[in-house]
Amino acid sequence: MISKLSWILFIPLTLAAVFLKLAQTILPDNSILGLSDLKLDYAVIGCVALIFVFALIMCLCDRKISKYYLPHRNFAAGIIGILTALLMAADGADSIYALTSADKLDVLAVIEAAMLLFAAVVFVVMGLNHSFNNKGKKAFGLLYIAPALLCAVRLIRCFVEFTTISLRTADVTRLFCYIFATMFFFNYAVALSLTEAKHAVKSCFIYGFPASAAMIAYAAGNLYANFDTENLMANAHYVEIALMGLYILAFVIELTIFVKDKDHVIIEDEDDVDYKELHEDDITDRDDLVVTGLDDEERADNPASSYISTADTTDFLYQEAHNETKRESSYYKAAENDVADYITDEIDSEYDQKGKEKSYADQLDEIDKLILEISGDK
């Protein structure tokens, strides 16, 4: 599947983004091609944008990937998800405690604190699902959307914060972190809940790669430059971004390994959108599957009747008969060679061509006539 080729640019550009972000604090200013810290931020954003564009092109060209994905056991994502949940719960509780002692009420801060606690519960559920290979259910679709809502709230807070400061001093990389993370977690929730959507699995590739690259680069640079050794909870925001970036990366790796093309997936119940994955042995050995290996375009070019004309019938116990528009009148009569040894001759129809009934004597065969002649002589 062409979507998997997105890794080609993701790996080198992610390493480049992390290096450029760390270079802002490790190396002197203007030491990399004369770029300032602000221009280095734009260079990091450029790397993330290239990853996004390349993944978008690869996924748009991929017509074989299935629109459904069944989660598999992923211990790395499970451990990271549980750690993320613990950190978010602690950060949410600390935020609520700080808000209760504050003189001014910040509505966005209250919403963010509540979403942190909600997202912590969801990450626990997702971490356990990854660890024990529990299948996603459509009923939990609303629950899985919590991380996307958290990232959306934080994105709004970033815009509000940047309106009060100069863009030269703002770290615009954080905006791209939450933009791509919001889109990824939304499509991630759709894919896990097995909700019918045309491009949910593709969108996990499209937004997962740039989200992971931006988050890892942003967290690495800020944890190195702004790590607070006195108040460890002040670092929770950066660590959360790092863990979410690693969680997204772990899931994208799982998706790359286990995602199926649409010819290897059958829908058992479209109302519940439940399906099973087919392997090559299942396709060759099972006879009760109502699936084909043709996509919609190929099926239109190959109607069901094409099997009759293309099947190999060499060893079959019948011979193909060609239909004729006009047949001779003697077509349905027996051949002379076939009735040569019969005792009786071919019997004419009950009525002759004139429609008159034949006499009784004419209908007797030669043996009966012989018997009558012998009886008459006596």
Side-chain angles (χ1 to χ4, degrees), residues 10-23 40 43-44 47 217:
F10 170 75
I11 296 176
L13 289 179
T14 301
L15 295 176
V18 172
F19 170 76
L20 292 173
K21 197 64 180 176
L22 290 173
L40 287 177
V44 173
C47 293

Side-chain angles (χ1 to χ4, degrees), residues 55 78 110 124 140 161 173 184 194 197 217 220 232 248 258 306 319 330 356 363 370:
V110 173
V124 169
F140 293 103
E161 180 183 343
T173 310
F184 168 79
L194 298 179
L232 295 180
I248 294 172
F258 295 107
S306 64
Q319 184 176 2
S330 61
K356 296 181 180 180
Q363 297 182 17
L370 181 61

Side-chain angles (χ1 to χ4, degrees), residues 55-317:
L56 178 63
I57 294 174
M58 293 298 101
C59 291
L60 289 178
C61 296
D62 191 353
R63 296 187 177 181
K64 294 184 178 180
I65 191 171
S66 173
K67 61 181 179 180
Y68 297 106
Y69 175 70
L70 195 64
H72 291 69
R73 182 174 284 109
N74 188 340
F75 289 109
I79 294 173
I80 296 172
I82 294 175
L83 291 177
T84 305
L86 295 175
L87 184 59
M88 284 184 173
D91 190 15
D94 184 69
S95 299
I96 292 175
Y97 176 77
L99 289 171
T100 56
S101 59
D103 298 333
K104 186 178 179 181
L105 181 63
D106 188 350
V107 178
L108 286 176
V110 173
I111 297 175
E112 181 182 354
M115 292 306 305
L116 278 170
L117 297 177
F118 186 28
V121 176
V122 175
F123 270 106
V124 169
V125 175
M126 293 192 298
L128 293 177
N129 286 342
H130 284 296
S131 300
F132 297 100
N133 196 23
N134 293 328
K135 308 302 181 184
K137 297 297 181 182
K138 191 173 182 178
F140 293 103
L142 181 62
L143 185 66
Y144 291 143
I145 206 70
L149 297 177
L150 173 63
C151 293
V153 171
R154 285 187 165 178
L155 179 62
I156 296 173
R157 291 199 69 184
C158 285
F159 279 113
V160 173
E161 180 183 343
F162 289 169
T163 57
T164 60
I165 60 176
S166 175
L167 287 178
R168 290 185 175 272
T169 59
D171 192 349
V172 292
T173 310
R174 185 165 44 144
L175 283 176
F176 284 82
C177 291
Y178 289 126
I179 289 173
F180 288 117
T182 301
M183 298 303 299
F184 168 79
F185 281 114
F186 175 78
N187 291 280
Y188 177 65
V190 174
L192 283 188
S193 61
L194 298 179
T195 303
E196 185 176 2
K198 191 174 183 180
H199 301 298
V201 177
K202 285 184 179 181
S203 297
C204 288
F205 281 115
I206 295 172
Y207 300 111
F209 284 113
S212 178
M215 287 183 154
I216 293 174
Y218 173 82
N222 284 276
L223 283 174
Y224 183 84
N226 304 319
F227 188 81
D228 192 345
T229 57
E230 297 180 359
N231 183 13
L232 295 180
M233 285 305 300
N235 306 310
H237 179 74
Y238 302 129
V239 178
E240 286 169 9
I241 292 179
L243 289 176
M244 283 194 290
L246 293 175
Y247 178 85
I248 294 172
L249 180 61
F251 177 75
V252 172
I253 293 174
E254 174 194 334
L255 193 64
T256 304
I257 297 173
F258 295 107
V259 68
K260 300 293 182 180
D261 57 51
K262 57 185 179 182
D263 294 335
H264 288 73
V265 171
I266 59 174
I267 305 299
E268 292 183 341
D269 187 355
E270 293 191 0
D271 293 335
D272 297 333
V273 196
D274 191 13
Y275 73 97
K276 62 173 64 176
E277 297 172 354
L278 299 180
H279 302 283
E280 294 182 358
D281 297 338
D282 299 329
I283 296 176
T284 55
D285 296 338
R286 294 185 56 182
D287 296 326
D288 57 343
L289 298 180
V290 193
V291 292
T292 63
L294 301 177
D295 56 17
D296 295 337
E297 296 180 356
E298 293 174 339
R299 191 176 293 108
D301 298 332
N302 295 274
S305 60
S306 64
Y307 172 78
I308 300 176
S309 60
T310 58
D312 185 9
T313 59
T314 305
D315 300 328
F316 285 13
L317 298 178

